[in-house]
């Protein structure tokens, strides 16, 4: 078939359009000094615009288009804003609106209804949507490709998507969706039928998936309220400086500015934090800044652009001081104190047996220092919040965070209110990966709404997001690992220092987790580990997918590979001789007393590892649940509504991982009702406080709670009652696992976590040293939704490969130098190798249906497996991440440089 000739299913125009809505064009602004005319979704538009305005702003702010998203304006590097201009994909956040005069602009809203139905079905049934923030841009780019090339190969699709970034999926399923779409459009296959039974173990389509694909499900920046105001933050200019004065007069003089809010306007607590309240909502005059992400003021104005322009006019008088940016320097007695308590946030330690003696008696010893980098989450949706007075003396706050009850507690503290006056509702966010656990702008939006008496929306720019939210901890890890002559591990001794940046966030817990996983999924009788979390004037470090375990896995697995070479066995055999088995104790001393499938994951990859010339292998384990002496809780309610639907409310967050979909499946499984009966949300209407959506625990904890509530509903249904008889009933489910021990507790049988996830991964390079394939075998306990689960692992591996090879948030003197999306070097679709996922099901009796959480384990073994594959190809070992000088990294980065040079 000649692809250029076969255009079945497509018009000569880019798309068939069905445009039925009328746009309200808001003009009359004196700054709008030019008029342009163009066709938008087959309707003529005549509009006044500022000559500096970008097309994205015109589409969103003046035309009411919501499918185009702002992920990185004005850089045009993430693709979330992609539109079609005369049939060609363009990045609207960097395209001046004046450039489309006389042209034809198409967005997802303007695609014909039949085409929209096909797109939604193909993307949802392929598992190509997770958080969904990038998806409309992917759709637009895919349509442009199919118009030009109706039957593209996978390689051609990946190349076409190179301008569009996805942080969730790993791209494979997006490519699947585009391939399926062209087959549907050409009539080769019919639109796939969804699995609608809802039973656990089936691939029920993602909850609200079709809306999300087309950009119809709103994110916070898509929401508006009557007479809404817009807030813009003014951040610090120096990572460490005494604030002598804050002059807001010039900002207040700007037409359209309603209020400038500073530390003086905070009626309650000015310092917040998840664990330690050491993070100021606003830095006060007379205080030192601690990092470049400190908020100095908030401008509230009638429109977003005015707010940002006025914020730049705020003048701050500083006494600039030398920042403390090296955690080793910060620990010295003479170092300036970043906080009154000093620069050491926490010390975590585990000691079992006599590691020093065992190391001295070992037949083989490896003594190495490893270093890992700071990493930006780069979720596609920047931080956003909208707050409004509720008319009853309180506030309604819309949050994109990971813990709405923690948000409520901190917002109430800022306002000096009881928590009951604050109602926080989760708006499912555009990715988080741990980076939205801390309060970001929710407090600022709430305070502004309270002060102004009107709804206020605050959205960060991408550069502000880089500076403000916590990152993955960079760590220095000194490991000494020994084994006997047969390769059995004798001892692990580790000293770990983590740069936790300016504020505590959850840094103490990250280093606690690193300490508790320092010996990995291996039987080691002698363990001596100490991990320090240290304050610096760098941006904060906190939660990110893996939560400290990725760093120690890179170090430990590297030591195992060196020991294997000394013993004369391969990497697979080294791990087989040392992996944990039933009855063994892990790093913390917890006994593995429940079935788990680590050995099965290792067996699953044995042949592929040994048959490949350049293959690296690594194992991993990752806690499920916070544990370490804290209770893990899940809470849910099922409310029978007037329309006989069942409203599931849970205390955890949907952020693209598919938690809401699993809740529907569990409720359908237990009640026998169809999945269409249920809708799901997270808010503080019901008291369902169960902490952050973290530690891979949402599936387990919310799952238990939903099952418990659903079984109560089922009992009434079995008694002969229908939903019409039960309207208004609320069925509550609660679950708590409170049997864990603090790290290092001197008890005979410590239980530090509810359970763990386990995995083995193999990374294979081709003859040119490029990434060729990743094989990931994971013990998931029970496959709840095969399509979603596979997508979670693929997305984690994408993040793990970037962590291993290319990604880093570069700082200099506390200043962020990686200030654009491209500078982060995140892998694009064309960089991804084939990924094969193998599921091992070893049910955990403490988990619903036996299912373990898998949100983080997917990238724990990835970097060390890459490192060993590189060692085989290049003949040298790497002890620092990212491995940018390696062959596979070079293949990615060199190709990027060549494209930039064209």
């Amino acid at each position: 078939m000649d692809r250029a000739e076969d255009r079945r299913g497509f018009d000569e125009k880019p798309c068939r359009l069905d445009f039925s809505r009328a746009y309200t064009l808001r003009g009359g602004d004196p700054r709008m000094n030019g008029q342009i005319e163009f066709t938008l979704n087959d309707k003529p538009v005549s509009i006044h615009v500022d000559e500096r305005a970008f097309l994205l702003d015109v589409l969103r702010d003046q035309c009411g288009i919501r499918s185009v998203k702002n992920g990185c304006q004005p850089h045009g590097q993430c693709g979330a804003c992609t539109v079609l201009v005369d049939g060609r994909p363009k990045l609207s956040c960097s395209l001046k609106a004046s450039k489309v005069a006389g042209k034809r602009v198409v967005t997802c809203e303007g695609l014909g209804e039949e085409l929209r139905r096909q797109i939604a079905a193909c993307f949802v049934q392929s598992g190509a949507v997770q958080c969904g923030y990038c998806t409309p841009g992917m759709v637009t780019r895919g349509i442009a490709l199919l118009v030009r090339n109706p039957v593209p190969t996978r390689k051609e699709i990946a190349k076409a998507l190179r301008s569009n970034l996805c942080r969730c999926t790993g791209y494979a399923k997006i490519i699947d969706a585009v391939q399926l779409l062209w087959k549907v459009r050409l009539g080769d296959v019919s639109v796939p039928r969804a699995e609608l039974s809802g039973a656990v173990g089936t691939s029920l389509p993602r909850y609200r998936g079709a809306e999300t694909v087309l950009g119809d499900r709103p994110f916070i920046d898509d929401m508006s309220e009557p007479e809404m105001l817009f807030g813009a933050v003014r951040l610090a200019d120096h990572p460490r400086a005494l604030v002598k004065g804050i002059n807001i007069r010039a900002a207040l003089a700007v037409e359209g500015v309603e209020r400038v809010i500073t530390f003086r306007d905070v009626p309650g607590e000015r310092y917040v934090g998840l664990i330690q309240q050491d993070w100021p909502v606003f830095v006060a005059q007379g205080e030192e800044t601690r990092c470049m992400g400190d908020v100095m003021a908030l401008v509230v104005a009638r429109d977003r652009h005015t707010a940002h322009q006025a914020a730049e006019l705020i003048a701050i008088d500083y006494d600039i001081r030398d920042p403390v940016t090296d955690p080793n320097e910060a620990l010295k007695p003479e170092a300036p104190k970043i906080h009154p308590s000093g620069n050491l946030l926490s010390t975590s330690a585990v000691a079992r047996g006599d590691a020093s003696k065992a190391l001295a008696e070992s037949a083989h010893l490896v003594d190495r220092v490893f270093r890992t980098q700071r990493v930006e989450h780069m979720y596609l949706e920047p931080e956003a919040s909208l707050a409004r007075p509720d008319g009853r003396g309180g506030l309604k706050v819309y949050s994109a965070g990971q813990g709405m009850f923690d948000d409520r507690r901190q917002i109430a503290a800022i306002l000096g209110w009881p928590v009951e006056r604050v109602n926080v509702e989760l708006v499912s966010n555009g990715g988080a990966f741990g980076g939205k656990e801390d309060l970001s702008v929710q407090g600022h939006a709430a305070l502004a709404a309270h002060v102004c008496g009107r709804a206020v929306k605050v959205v960060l720019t991408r550069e502000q997001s880089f500076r403000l939210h916590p990152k993955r901890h960079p760590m220095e890890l000194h490991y000494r690992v020994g084994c006997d002559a047969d390769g059995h591990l004798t001892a692990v001794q580790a000293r770990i220092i983590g740069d936790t940046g300016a504020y505590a966030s959850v840094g103490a817990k990250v280093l606690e987790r690193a300490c508790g996983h320092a010996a990995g999924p291996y039987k080691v009788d002698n363990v001596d580990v100490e991990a320090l979390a240290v304050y610096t004037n760098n941006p904060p470090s906190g939660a990110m997918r893996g939560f400290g375990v990725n760093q120690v896995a890179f170090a430990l697995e590297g030591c195992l590979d060196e020991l294997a070479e000394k013993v004369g066995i391969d990497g697979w055999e080294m791990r087989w001789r040392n992996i944990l088995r039933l009855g063994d104790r892990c790093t913390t001393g917890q006994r593995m007393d429940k079935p788990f499938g680590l050995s099965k994951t290792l067996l699953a990859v044995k042949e592929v590892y040994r048959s490949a010339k350049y293959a690296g292998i690594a194992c991993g384990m990752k806690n499920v649940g916070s544990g370490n002496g804290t209770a893990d809780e899940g809470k849910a309610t099922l409310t029978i509504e007037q329309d006989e639907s069942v409203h599931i409310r849970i205390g955890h967050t949907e952020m693209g991982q598919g938690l809401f979909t699993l809740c529907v499946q569990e409720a359908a499984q237990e009640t026998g009702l169809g999945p269409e009966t249920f809708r799901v949300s997270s808010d503080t209407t019901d008291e369902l406080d169960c902490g952050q959506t973290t530690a891979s625990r949402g599936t387990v904890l919310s799952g238990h709670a939903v099952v418990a509530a659903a079984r109560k509903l089922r009992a009434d249904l079995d008694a002969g009652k229908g939903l019409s008889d039960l309207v208004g009933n609320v069925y509550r489910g609660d679950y708590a696992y409170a049997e864990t021990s603090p790290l290092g507790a001197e008890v005979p049988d410590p239980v530090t976590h509810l359970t763990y996830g386990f995995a083995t991964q193999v990374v294979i390079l081709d003859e040119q040293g490029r990434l060729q394939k990743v094989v990931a075998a994971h013990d998931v306990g029970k496959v709840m939704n095969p399509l979603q689960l596979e997508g979670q692992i693929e997305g984690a591996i994408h993040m793990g490969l970037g962590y291993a090879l290319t990604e880093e948030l570069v700082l200099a003197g506390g200043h962020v130098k990686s200030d654009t999306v491209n500078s982060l070097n995140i892998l694009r679709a064309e960089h991804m190798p084939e990924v094969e996922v193998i599921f091992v099901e070893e049910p955990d009796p403490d988990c619903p249906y036996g299912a373990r959480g898998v949100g983080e384990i997917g990238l724990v073994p990835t970097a060390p497996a890459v490192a060993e594959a590189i060692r085989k190809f290049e003949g040298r070992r790497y002890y620092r991440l990212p491995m940018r000088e390696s062959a596979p990294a070079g293949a990615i980065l060199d190709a990027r440089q060549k494209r930039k040079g064209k």
Side-chain angles (χ1 to χ4, degrees):
M1 178 189 298
D2 184 347
R3 294 185 196 141
E5 295 299 324
D6 191 334
R7 305 180 64 82
R8 290 176 294 151
F10 291 93
D11 298 337
E12 288 302 311
K13 293 181 179 180
C15 323
R16 287 177 298 188
L17 304 175
D18 178 16
F19 181 84
S20 57
R21 63 178 294 175
Y23 294 127
T24 301
L25 305 182
R26 296 187 291 276
D29 192 314
R31 294 167 302 161
M32 293 188 173
N33 50 19
Q35 182 166 347
I36 61 170
E37 296 182 355
F38 62 98
T39 301
L40 175 58
N41 295 334
D42 260 5
K43 291 291 183 180
V45 170
S46 179
I47 189 168
H48 290 278
V49 298
D50 187 314
E51 63 182 9
R52 299 164 297 177
F54 292 105
L55 179 59
L56 174 67
D57 300 319
V58 171
L59 292 176
R60 289 182 60 83
D61 298 343
Q62 295 179 254
C63 300
I65 294 291
R66 288 292 177 260
S67 66
V68 289
K69 309 297 182 186
N70 183 357
C72 68
Q73 190 180 41
H75 299 296
Q77 296 177 357
C78 77
C81 66
T82 305
V83 300
L84 297 178
V85 178
D86 285 349
R88 299 185 66 84
K90 298 292 182 181
L91 299 168
S92 63
C93 82
S94 58
L95 178 66
K96 291 294 178 64
S98 59
K99 298 293 185 182
V100 303
K103 299 183 184 295
R104 186 168 179 265
V105 178
V106 177
T107 69
C108 280
E109 287 87 345
L111 303 177
E113 288 306 313
E114 176 64 12
L115 179 55
R116 283 168 57 87
R117 184 182 70 83
Q118 292 171 345
I119 290 168
C122 291
F123 271 70
V124 171
Q125 295 308 309
S126 298
V129 56
Q130 290 190 25
C131 84
Y133 201 81
C134 75
T135 315
M138 293 284 186
V139 166
T140 307
R141 184 78 60 173
I143 290 294
L145 170 66
L146 294 181
V147 169
R148 186 176 71 253
N149 178 1
V151 284
T153 64
R154 294 186 69 83
K155 185 175 181 180
E156 288 169 335
I157 296 170
K159 183 178 179 181
L161 296 176
R162 64 164 54 144
S163 295
N164 291 61
L165 179 65
C166 178
R167 200 59 160 154
C168 297
T169 65
Y171 301 106
K173 288 182 169 29
I174 296 175
I175 296 172
D176 291 343
V178 176
Q179 280 199 314
L180 180 58
L181 180 59
W182 73 249
K183 293 177 182 178
V184 169
R185 295 294 292 169
L186 296 178
D188 295 342
V189 298
S190 58
V191 175
R193 295 179 62 85
E195 163 53 60
L196 296 178
S197 73
V200 166
T202 65
S203 292
L204 180 70
R206 180 170 294 269
Y207 181 72
R208 298 187 70 182
E211 300 171 66
T212 305
V213 167
L214 298 170
D216 294 338
R217 179 178 67 79
F219 294 89
I220 286 179
D221 196 23
D222 300 325
M223 299 168 61
S224 64
E225 292 282 340
E227 299 185 331
M228 184 174 71
L229 300 173
F230 297 79
V233 297
R234 169 68 159 89
L235 300 183
D237 300 285
H238 307 282
R240 180 170 175 253
L242 178 68
V243 180
K244 299 169 67 176
I246 303 174
N247 188 334
I248 64 174
R249 286 192 296 272
L252 281 171
V254 175
E255 183 180 355
V257 170
E258 297 281 330
R259 188 74 181 256
V260 178
I261 298 172
T262 68
F263 68 96
R264 293 185 176 90
D265 299 296
V266 180
E269 299 295 330
R270 193 163 50 83
Y271 279 80
V272 297
L274 289 172
I275 300 172
Q276 292 188 216
Q277 289 69 55
D278 65 351
W279 198 331
V281 180
F282 294 99
V283 175
Q285 186 173 318
E287 291 181 340
E288 279 190 359
T289 63
R290 295 184 177 92
C291 70
M292 293 291 291
D294 280 337
V295 179
M296 313 303 294
L298 178 76
V299 174
V300 184
R302 288 191 289 248
D303 66 81
R304 177 167 55 92
H305 298 286
T306 299
H308 282 281
Q309 290 165 8
E312 294 177 2
L313 298 177
I314 296 174
I316 303 172
D317 185 16
Y318 296 103
D319 178 6
I320 302 172
R321 299 173 178 181
D322 292 334
V324 182
T325 59
D326 184 329
N328 288 292
E329 293 296 317
L331 288 172
K332 293 180 178 179
E334 66 272 19
K337 286 187 176 181
I338 296 166
H339 290 274
S341 59
N343 295 343
L344 179 61
L345 171 62
S346 67
T347 301
S348 301
V350 169
R352 291 191 295 110
D354 189 337
S356 295
K357 181 174 182 292
L359 288 170
E361 297 174 353
S362 296
H364 302 289
L365 175 68
V366 170
D367 187 332
R368 296 291 185 189
V369 176
F370 296 82
R371 292 178 174 86
T372 65
Q373 77 278 39
R374 180 177 286 100
V375 177
E376 160 65 31
H377 298 72
M378 198 41 233
Y379 28 73
L380 269 290
E381 179 201 26
E383 291 81 351
S385 183
L386 192 161
R388 60 172 173 82
D390 65 6
R392 301 186 301 276
L395 285 178
K396 178 65 176 278
V397 182
Y398 297 95
S399 171
Q402 292 183 234
M404 59 198 163
F405 285 92
D406 282 331
D407 289 352
R408 181 177 71 162
R409 172 179 57 79
Q410 293 174 91
I411 291 167
I414 293 166
L415 297 173
W417 290 359
V419 295
E420 291 77 16
R421 289 179 64 184
V422 180
N423 185 340
V424 179
E425 180 177 338
L426 164 74
V427 178
S428 295
N429 60 46
F433 314 112
K436 293 180 180 176
E437 290 188 13
D438 299 89
L439 202 69
S440 58
V441 296
Q442 299 96 317
H444 302 94
L447 178 58
H450 168 60
V451 168
C452 297
R454 290 164 62 180
V456 178
K457 180 163 66 176
V458 182
V459 182
L460 294 184
T461 66
R462 181 57 64 185
E463 292 90 341
Q464 290 170 342
S465 176
F466 284 171
R467 290 165 61 177
L468 192 144
H469 78 257
K471 317 300 176 193
R472 187 185 299 284
H473 280 75
M475 292 188 190
E476 179 181 284
L477 310 100
H478 182 188
Y479 261 73
R480 302 179 72 226
V481 183
C483 71
D484 63 21
D486 294 322
H488 297 105
L489 294 174
T490 54
V492 169
Q493 186 179 76
R495 297 292 180 265
I496 304 167
I497 296 177
D499 180 353
T500 211
Y503 300 109
S505 180
V506 292
K509 291 296 180 182
V510 173
L511 271 295
E512 178 184 76
R513 207 72 75 246
C515 180
H517 288 72
Y522 303 108
K523 181 180 183 296
V524 185
D525 292 330
N526 301 286
V527 175
D528 175 14
V529 184
E530 182 183 78
L532 309 180
V534 183
Y535 285 120
T536 67
N537 289 121
N538 292 320
S541 299
M544 187 173 179
R545 198 177 202 172
F547 208 85
V549 181
N550 312 38
Q551 293 94 320
V552 295
F554 174 63
L556 176 70
E557 296 286 324
C559 291
L560 258 68
D561 286 325
E562 285 201 58
L563 288 172
E565 192 173 19
K566 291 175 181 288
V567 174
I569 57 179
D570 69 9
W572 189 93
E573 185 61 34
M574 184 70 187
R575 287 159 178 82
W576 183 253
R577 294 182 186 185
N578 289 287
I579 55 171
L580 291 166
R581 291 180 167 84
L582 199 62
D584 290 339
R585 295 184 185 272
C586 66
T587 307
T588 64
Q590 179 171 351
R591 192 179 298 280
M592 300 290 102
D593 58 359
K594 299 182 291 183
F596 63 101
L598 177 59
S599 62
K600 293 180 180 178
T601 70
L602 197 52
L603 288 169
V605 302
K606 180 178 181 179
E607 183 177 346
V608 70
Y609 169 72
R610 287 184 166 167
S611 63
K613 185 177 180 180
Y614 304 118
I617 189 170
C619 296
M621 69 182 294
K622 174 68 178 68
N623 61 291
V624 176
S626 297
N628 287 126
T630 62
D632 283 297
E633 297 180 285
K635 299 177 182 180
T637 57
L638 272 61
T639 302
I640 315 304
E641 304 289 0
Q642 288 290 337
D643 61 359
E644 299 183 28
S645 66
V646 180
H647 189 168
I648 304 170
R649 286 187 174 92
I650 60 172
H652 290 125
T653 295
E654 170 61 61
M655 48 192 171
Q657 82 278 41
L659 181 59
F660 280 5
T661 309
L662 292 186
C663 289
V664 171
Q665 289 187 257
E666 290 154 351
Q669 176 80 24
E670 296 297 330
T671 63
L673 299 171
E676 70 282 355
T677 310
F678 301 94
R679 59 189 176 97
V680 196
S681 69
S682 294
D683 58 40
T684 58
T685 300
D686 295 336
E687 286 301 321
L688 302 173
D689 187 358
C690 45
Q692 293 285 320
T693 310
T694 187
S696 303
R697 66 185 189 164
T699 295
V700 174
L701 302 183
S702 283
H704 271 306
V706 169
V707 167
R711 287 176 177 171
K712 294 177 182 179
L713 170 57
R714 179 61 182 261
D716 279 354
L717 296 173
D718 286 347
K721 296 179 180 179
L723 290 176
S724 60
D725 304 314
L726 303 173
V727 169
N729 282 15
V730 179
Y731 301 87
R732 185 180 178 97
D734 293 271
Y735 171 79
Y737 190 89
E739 303 170 10
T740 62
S741 313
L743 184 70
E746 294 184 4
V747 295
D749 285 298
V751 178
T752 44
H753 293 289
L754 161 66
T755 190
Y756 296 87
F758 299 91
T760 305
Q761 292 183 1
V762 171
V763 174
I764 301 169
L765 306 183
D766 65 16
E767 290 294 331
Q768 287 74 46
R770 298 170 301 194
L771 291 171
Q772 179 177 331
K773 186 175 183 178
V774 178
V775 181
H778 284 250
D779 174 18
V780 301
K782 164 70 176 177
V783 176
M784 301 282 282
N785 184 309
L787 193 64
Q788 282 197 171
L789 182 56
E790 192 173 65
Q792 277 285 289
I793 301 300
E794 290 171 350
I797 289 169
H798 165 260
M799 193 173 282
L801 292 173
Y803 179 56
L805 294 171
T806 57
E807 288 190 41
E808 182 174 12
L809 185 78
V810 178
L811 304 181
H815 294 256
V816 175
K817 296 302 180 182
S818 304
D819 57 356
T820 65
V821 173
N822 282 349
S823 67
L824 300 174
N825 291 314
I826 296 170
L827 272 60
R828 304 288 177 140
E830 62 183 339
H831 304 136
M832 281 297 291
E834 177 190 355
V835 176
E836 179 186 352
V837 180
I838 301 170
F839 294 137
V840 170
E841 294 184 280
E842 194 68 58
D844 187 305
D846 289 324
C847 299
Y849 310 103
R852 308 172 190 273
V854 300
E856 298 171 277
I857 183 64
L859 72 162
V860 170
T862 312
V866 172
E868 179 59 10
I870 293 171
R871 199 275 309 171
K872 288 183 177 178
F873 182 81
E874 296 184 358
R876 63 166 172 161
R877 299 186 183 277
Y878 287 81
Y879 303 100
R880 181 189 292 269
L881 294 179
M883 297 176 280
R884 282 188 181 165
E885 297 178 359
S886 68
I892 294 166
L893 297 174
D894 290 349
R896 279 188 168 179
Q897 286 300 117
K898 289 178 182 178
R899 285 204 308 275
K900 287 172 68 176
K902 286 184 178 180

